[in-house]
Amino acid sequence: MLSARTAAAASPAASLWKRGGGAGGRGDGCTSCLEVRRRAAAVTVRAAQPKRVEAVAMESAAETAEAEKEVAAEKEVAAAGGGVEDKYGEDRATEELPVTPWAFSVASGYTLLRDPHHNKGLAFTERERDAHYLRGLLPPGVVSQDLQVKKIMHNLRQYKVPLQRYVAMMDLQERNERLFYKLLIDNVEELLPVVYTPTVGEACQKYGSIFRRPQGLYVSLRDKGKVIDVLRNWPERNIQVIVVTDGERILGLGDLGCQGMGIPVGKLSLYTALGGVRPSACLPITIDVGTNNEQLLNDEFYIGLRQRRATGEEYHELMEEFMDAVKQIYGEKVLIQFEDFANHNAFDLLAKYSKSHLVFNDDIQGTASVVLAGLLSSLKVVGGTLAEHTYLFLGAGEAGTGIAELIALEISKQTNAPIEECRKKVFLVDSKGLIVSSRKNSLQPFKTSWAHEREPVTTLLDAIKSIRPTVLIGTSGVGRAFTKEVIEAMASFNERPVIFSLSNPTSHSECTAEEAYKWTQGRAVFASGSPFDPVEYDGKIRVPGQANNAYIFPGFGLGVVISGAIRVHEDMLLAASETLAAQATQENFDKGSIFPPFTNIRKISALIAASVAAKAYELGLATRLPRPRDLEKYAESCMYTPVYRSYR
């Protein structure tokens, strides 16, 4: 394998080596290998002619001047990634440029085949096999990336069990990163349910049994006092997005402890595949404070701490140390997405850190944004304005109250009415019945805004009869809670009842698409959290829409990154919702869906990123200056592309 010293000596970066103790030297013979690698790579990855870049020593003043021009060009290309150097050649702006497969030295031979960032398998060309000592380590056949995708899709389709497909996909990600993302991007509608909900729920439940290689960082109570050292163990420094969970409320499955890592891993796969955030800039993290799941505590294959879940001061001290360490290591412009925290922690953490960190809770804010987009889109089918409809929720947790608040904010924005008045259009039912003012003293703080002056009722059906809502939204996590009587009641006074059954996974959905269409005689405007197959009713095929957070958070994250935003503002969420709603067409409505197809998701994410970034600049929260003239084109140029690069 070519060492960093040898590689540097063969390039213009050779001057980086300082011998002896002369000026600029360290006195120990040379600068550090890591520094040479970083700076040498910066010289070799250039915005130059893509056909050939020769590494030669620059001796004349003319050559030095030319090099300075190229370095300036490099900086311009690097800026396309939000100002972070594109050292792996991941962005669309550098797609045609040849790159050097740097690891801690130039990766070659057996090491190169085991490096998921650079491995291409049988797609290494004859020239690359000679240049990087791969001759004999691979069969002689050379195949294209497209043929590799075709073969893997053929193999995946042989599996009858979704979890087997999930394991195969994770194995691919660990050995060939670009092929994994190429596969996912090209087959997003088929593979999205594999790498994320609903299959990821089963994967988390069985994570200890299927665990192979660690993905991401695990911060546990044992690391208290040294969390910053744990973060320093991660090999990448230019992190732009972190997804973190404590595993207490994984989807609708409850406390899965350390095995909740499948959620951050899955979310960040979608940040890259759908939103174009570089995989090298993504970091999945699990905070392990124990679990109250007795089944896991007694499971010999469980991979986390075997103790009851820490609470109170002990829990919050660890979280505070973690948040401070993230800011110290990665700066204040890293987006921290809280994922699947239990209600009692989710709202507190978001409120506490939203003023000091760039934080986002997908369960509260991401879900709210995509559901609001669905409602705005559904207005084109049912008519009226957002303020003219009445909304009833089953479920008053993170998702329910988050969606309710964003609906009220959008109504306030459209009507200029006070937010307090707008909240009166929204009603919530929890496990004890309709949330009303007479219950206010016993309610959790995040529910009190929804305690209206009404007579108390204890069942959802009674609430429907009393309120007569036009929109029914389920976020309860209780499977089949929308009974035939409930849906028929909605259909009795609404020509086109809007019914959103949002709980995940599929087994926890409040009703199925077939039930919604059947019990409303095909009149329902339906969307779900997990995917449902198309339904034939009365001779017509209806394709149910999926209110999947993946429509929002990848593009939202990209917009935050490219603008250099330092805080998340509610207006940025509204901008994302409005942009997504605008992408649904009459063709989608005719098929029964109020969301655009996922086949267009990369384009949709670029549009959302542009609108989020524009709002960040408008609010004075963006730090990436000057503002790009065309934010949509800039977002597209910053997006990761998984096509194989040519190696020198």
PDB file of all heavy atoms in Angstrom, residues 509-526:
ATOM      1  N   SER A 509     -51.339   0.680  12.643  1.00  0.00           N
ATOM      2  CA  SER A 509     -52.134   1.671  11.916  1.00  0.00           C
ATOM      3  C   SER A 509     -53.580   1.641  12.387  1.00  0.00           C
ATOM      4  O   SER A 509     -54.162   0.573  12.610  1.00  0.00           O
ATOM      5  CB  SER A 509     -52.066   1.377  10.410  1.00  0.00           C
ATOM      6  OG  SER A 509     -52.756   2.367   9.682  1.00  0.00           O
ATOM      7  N   GLU A 510     -54.176   2.821  12.542  1.00  0.00           N
ATOM      8  CA  GLU A 510     -55.545   2.912  13.078  1.00  0.00           C
ATOM      9  C   GLU A 510     -56.575   2.243  12.178  1.00  0.00           C
ATOM     10  O   GLU A 510     -57.627   1.808  12.650  1.00  0.00           O
ATOM     11  CB  GLU A 510     -55.926   4.374  13.305  1.00  0.00           C
ATOM     12  CG  GLU A 510     -55.310   5.020  14.532  1.00  0.00           C
ATOM     13  CD  GLU A 510     -53.872   5.465  14.322  1.00  0.00           C
ATOM     14  OE1 GLU A 510     -53.389   5.431  13.157  1.00  0.00           O
ATOM     15  OE2 GLU A 510     -53.215   5.863  15.303  1.00  0.00           O
ATOM     16  N   CYS A 511     -56.310   2.189  10.886  1.00  0.00           N
ATOM     17  CA  CYS A 511     -57.150   1.418   9.958  1.00  0.00           C
ATOM     18  C   CYS A 511     -56.337   1.181   8.702  1.00  0.00           C
ATOM     19  O   CYS A 511     -55.309   1.823   8.471  1.00  0.00           O
ATOM     20  CB  CYS A 511     -58.460   2.142   9.632  1.00  0.00           C
ATOM     21  SG  CYS A 511     -58.277   3.617   8.605  1.00  0.00           S
ATOM     22  N   THR A 512     -56.784   0.277   7.875  1.00  0.00           N
ATOM     23  CA  THR A 512     -56.112   0.030   6.607  1.00  0.00           C
ATOM     24  C   THR A 512     -56.734   0.901   5.523  1.00  0.00           C
ATOM     25  O   THR A 512     -57.829   1.453   5.684  1.00  0.00           O
ATOM     26  CB  THR A 512     -56.240  -1.442   6.196  1.00  0.00           C
ATOM     27  OG1 THR A 512     -57.621  -1.727   5.903  1.00  0.00           O
ATOM     28  CG2 THR A 512     -55.752  -2.374   7.307  1.00  0.00           C
ATOM     29  N   ALA A 513     -56.022   1.001   4.402  1.00  0.00           N
ATOM     30  CA  ALA A 513     -56.572   1.753   3.271  1.00  0.00           C
ATOM     31  C   ALA A 513     -57.859   1.103   2.771  1.00  0.00           C
ATOM     32  O   ALA A 513     -58.843   1.794   2.461  1.00  0.00           O
ATOM     33  CB  ALA A 513     -55.534   1.806   2.150  1.00  0.00           C
ATOM     34  N   GLU A 514     -57.879  -0.213   2.715  1.00  0.00           N
ATOM     35  CA  GLU A 514     -59.070  -0.917   2.237  1.00  0.00           C
ATOM     36  C   GLU A 514     -60.276  -0.630   3.118  1.00  0.00           C
ATOM     37  O   GLU A 514     -61.388  -0.399   2.618  1.00  0.00           O
ATOM     38  CB  GLU A 514     -58.797  -2.420   2.194  1.00  0.00           C
ATOM     39  CG  GLU A 514     -59.950  -3.222   1.624  1.00  0.00           C
ATOM     40  CD  GLU A 514     -59.643  -4.700   1.530  1.00  0.00           C
ATOM     41  OE1 GLU A 514     -58.582  -5.122   2.038  1.00  0.00           O
ATOM     42  OE2 GLU A 514     -60.466  -5.436   0.948  1.00  0.00           O
ATOM     43  N   GLU A 515     -60.064  -0.614   4.429  1.00  0.00           N
ATOM     44  CA  GLU A 515     -61.172  -0.330   5.347  1.00  0.00           C
ATOM     45  C   GLU A 515     -61.693   1.087   5.158  1.00  0.00           C
ATOM     46  O   GLU A 515     -62.911   1.322   5.152  1.00  0.00           O
ATOM     47  CB  GLU A 515     -60.703  -0.545   6.790  1.00  0.00           C
ATOM     48  CG  GLU A 515     -60.476  -2.013   7.137  1.00  0.00           C
ATOM     49  CD  GLU A 515     -59.730  -2.208   8.447  1.00  0.00           C
ATOM     50  OE1 GLU A 515     -59.113  -1.228   8.944  1.00  0.00           O
ATOM     51  OE2 GLU A 515     -59.741  -3.334   8.970  1.00  0.00           O
ATOM     52  N   ALA A 516     -60.770   2.045   5.007  1.00  0.00           N
ATOM     53  CA  ALA A 516     -61.189   3.443   4.840  1.00  0.00           C
ATOM     54  C   ALA A 516     -62.026   3.621   3.582  1.00  0.00           C
ATOM     55  O   ALA A 516     -63.061   4.307   3.592  1.00  0.00           O
ATOM     56  CB  ALA A 516     -59.963   4.352   4.799  1.00  0.00           C
ATOM     57  N   TYR A 517     -61.602   3.003   2.480  1.00  0.00           N
ATOM     58  CA  TYR A 517     -62.354   3.140   1.230  1.00  0.00           C
ATOM     59  C   TYR A 517     -63.676   2.372   1.286  1.00  0.00           C
ATOM     60  O   TYR A 517     -64.722   2.861   0.845  1.00  0.00           O
ATOM     61  CB  TYR A 517     -61.514   2.640   0.053  1.00  0.00           C
ATOM     62  CG  TYR A 517     -60.297   3.491  -0.232  1.00  0.00           C
ATOM     63  CD1 TYR A 517     -59.040   2.925  -0.374  1.00  0.00           C
ATOM     64  CD2 TYR A 517     -60.413   4.874  -0.369  1.00  0.00           C
ATOM     65  CE1 TYR A 517     -57.920   3.704  -0.642  1.00  0.00           C
ATOM     66  CE2 TYR A 517     -59.301   5.667  -0.633  1.00  0.00           C
ATOM     67  CZ  TYR A 517     -58.054   5.072  -0.769  1.00  0.00           C
ATOM     68  OH  TYR A 517     -56.954   5.840  -1.025  1.00  0.00           O
ATOM     69  N   LYS A 518     -63.634   1.173   1.829  1.00  0.00           N
ATOM     70  CA  LYS A 518     -64.830   0.324   1.865  1.00  0.00           C
ATOM     71  C   LYS A 518     -65.920   0.941   2.730  1.00  0.00           C
ATOM     72  O   LYS A 518     -67.105   0.974   2.344  1.00  0.00           O
ATOM     73  CB  LYS A 518     -64.452  -1.060   2.379  1.00  0.00           C
ATOM     74  CG  LYS A 518     -65.604  -2.045   2.450  1.00  0.00           C
ATOM     75  CD  LYS A 518     -65.126  -3.393   2.964  1.00  0.00           C
ATOM     76  CE  LYS A 518     -66.267  -4.384   3.091  1.00  0.00           C
ATOM     77  NZ  LYS A 518     -65.787  -5.691   3.621  1.00  0.00           N
ATOM     78  N   TRP A 519     -65.543   1.439   3.907  1.00  0.00           N
ATOM     79  CA  TRP A 519     -66.543   1.935   4.856  1.00  0.00           C
ATOM     80  C   TRP A 519     -67.032   3.345   4.535  1.00  0.00           C
ATOM     81  O   TRP A 519     -67.947   3.850   5.188  1.00  0.00           O
ATOM     82  CB  TRP A 519     -65.977   1.880   6.270  1.00  0.00           C
ATOM     83  CG  TRP A 519     -65.741   0.458   6.737  1.00  0.00           C
ATOM     84  CD1 TRP A 519     -66.361  -0.664   6.292  1.00  0.00           C
ATOM     85  CD2 TRP A 519     -64.814   0.033   7.741  1.00  0.00           C
ATOM     86  NE1 TRP A 519     -65.878  -1.779   6.946  1.00  0.00           N
ATOM     87  CE2 TRP A 519     -64.929  -1.387   7.850  1.00  0.00           C
ATOM     88  CE3 TRP A 519     -63.885   0.681   8.571  1.00  0.00           C
ATOM     89  CZ2 TRP A 519     -64.160  -2.136   8.734  1.00  0.00           C
ATOM     90  CZ3 TRP A 519     -63.125  -0.070   9.458  1.00  0.00           C
ATOM     91  CH2 TRP A 519     -63.263  -1.463   9.532  1.00  0.00           C
ATOM     92  N   THR A 520     -66.396   4.007   3.546  1.00  0.00           N
ATOM     93  CA  THR A 520     -66.889   5.322   3.097  1.00  0.00           C
ATOM     94  C   THR A 520     -67.411   5.257   1.663  1.00  0.00           C
ATOM     95  O   THR A 520     -67.616   6.293   1.036  1.00  0.00           O
ATOM     96  CB  THR A 520     -65.761   6.378   3.172  1.00  0.00           C
ATOM     97  OG1 THR A 520     -64.690   5.980   2.292  1.00  0.00           O
ATOM     98  CG2 THR A 520     -65.240   6.546   4.579  1.00  0.00           C
ATOM     99  N   GLN A 521     -67.604   4.040   1.153  1.00  0.00           N
ATOM    100  CA  GLN A 521     -68.056   3.837  -0.235  1.00  0.00           C
ATOM    101  C   GLN A 521     -67.113   4.504  -1.241  1.00  0.00           C
ATOM    102  O   GLN A 521     -67.537   5.089  -2.239  1.00  0.00           O
ATOM    103  CB  GLN A 521     -69.494   4.344  -0.454  1.00  0.00           C
ATOM    104  CG  GLN A 521     -70.554   3.607   0.353  1.00  0.00           C
ATOM    105  CD  GLN A 521     -70.591   4.070   1.804  1.00  0.00           C
ATOM    106  OE1 GLN A 521     -70.612   5.266   2.089  1.00  0.00           O
ATOM    107  NE2 GLN A 521     -70.608   3.120   2.731  1.00  0.00           N
ATOM    108  N   GLY A 522     -65.826   4.447  -0.938  1.00  0.00           N
ATOM    109  CA  GLY A 522     -64.812   4.970  -1.847  1.00  0.00           C
ATOM    110  C   GLY A 522     -64.646   6.471  -1.817  1.00  0.00           C
ATOM    111  O   GLY A 522     -63.940   7.045  -2.652  1.00  0.00           O
ATOM    112  N   ARG A 523     -65.265   7.144  -0.840  1.00  0.00           N
ATOM    113  CA  ARG A 523     -65.232   8.617  -0.816  1.00  0.00           C
ATOM    114  C   ARG A 523     -64.104   9.194   0.031  1.00  0.00           C
ATOM    115  O   ARG A 523     -63.854  10.401  -0.010  1.00  0.00           O
ATOM    116  CB  ARG A 523     -66.575   9.147  -0.288  1.00  0.00           C
ATOM    117  CG  ARG A 523     -67.747   8.874  -1.235  1.00  0.00           C
ATOM    118  CD  ARG A 523     -69.028   9.511  -0.732  1.00  0.00           C
ATOM    119  NE  ARG A 523     -69.649   8.755   0.354  1.00  0.00           N
ATOM    120  CZ  ARG A 523     -69.894   9.233   1.555  1.00  0.00           C
ATOM    121  NH1 ARG A 523     -69.558  10.488   1.853  1.00  0.00           N
ATOM    122  NH2 ARG A 523     -70.480   8.488   2.485  1.00  0.00           N
ATOM    123  N   ALA A 524     -63.414   8.379   0.805  1.00  0.00           N
ATOM    124  CA  ALA A 524     -62.395   8.893   1.726  1.00  0.00           C
ATOM    125  C   ALA A 524     -61.190   9.450   0.978  1.00  0.00           C
ATOM    126  O   ALA A 524     -60.765   8.918  -0.053  1.00  0.00           O
ATOM    127  CB  ALA A 524     -61.946   7.778   2.670  1.00  0.00           C
ATOM    128  N   VAL A 525     -60.649  10.533   1.517  1.00  0.00           N
ATOM    129  CA  VAL A 525     -59.329  11.023   1.113  1.00  0.00           C
ATOM    130  C   VAL A 525     -58.375  10.479   2.177  1.00  0.00           C
ATOM    131  O   VAL A 525     -58.371  10.955   3.310  1.00  0.00           O
ATOM    132  CB  VAL A 525     -59.296  12.561   1.057  1.00  0.00           C
ATOM    133  CG1 VAL A 525     -57.894  13.044   0.715  1.00  0.00           C
ATOM    134  CG2 VAL A 525     -60.307  13.070   0.052  1.00  0.00           C
ATOM    135  N   PHE A 526     -57.599   9.475   1.801  1.00  0.00           N
ATOM    136  CA  PHE A 526     -56.867   8.676   2.790  1.00  0.00           C
ATOM    137  C   PHE A 526     -55.363   8.835   2.647  1.00  0.00           C
ATOM    138  O   PHE A 526     -54.827   8.956   1.547  1.00  0.00           O
ATOM    139  CB  PHE A 526     -57.244   7.199   2.623  1.00  0.00           C
ATOM    140  CG  PHE A 526     -56.521   6.267   3.564  1.00  0.00           C
ATOM    141  CD1 PHE A 526     -56.943   6.110   4.872  1.00  0.00           C
ATOM    142  CD2 PHE A 526     -55.401   5.557   3.134  1.00  0.00           C
ATOM    143  CE1 PHE A 526     -56.281   5.257   5.745  1.00  0.00           C
ATOM    144  CE2 PHE A 526     -54.732   4.703   3.988  1.00  0.00           C
ATOM    145  CZ  PHE A 526     -55.167   4.551   5.300  1.00  0.00           C
TER     146      PHE A 526
END
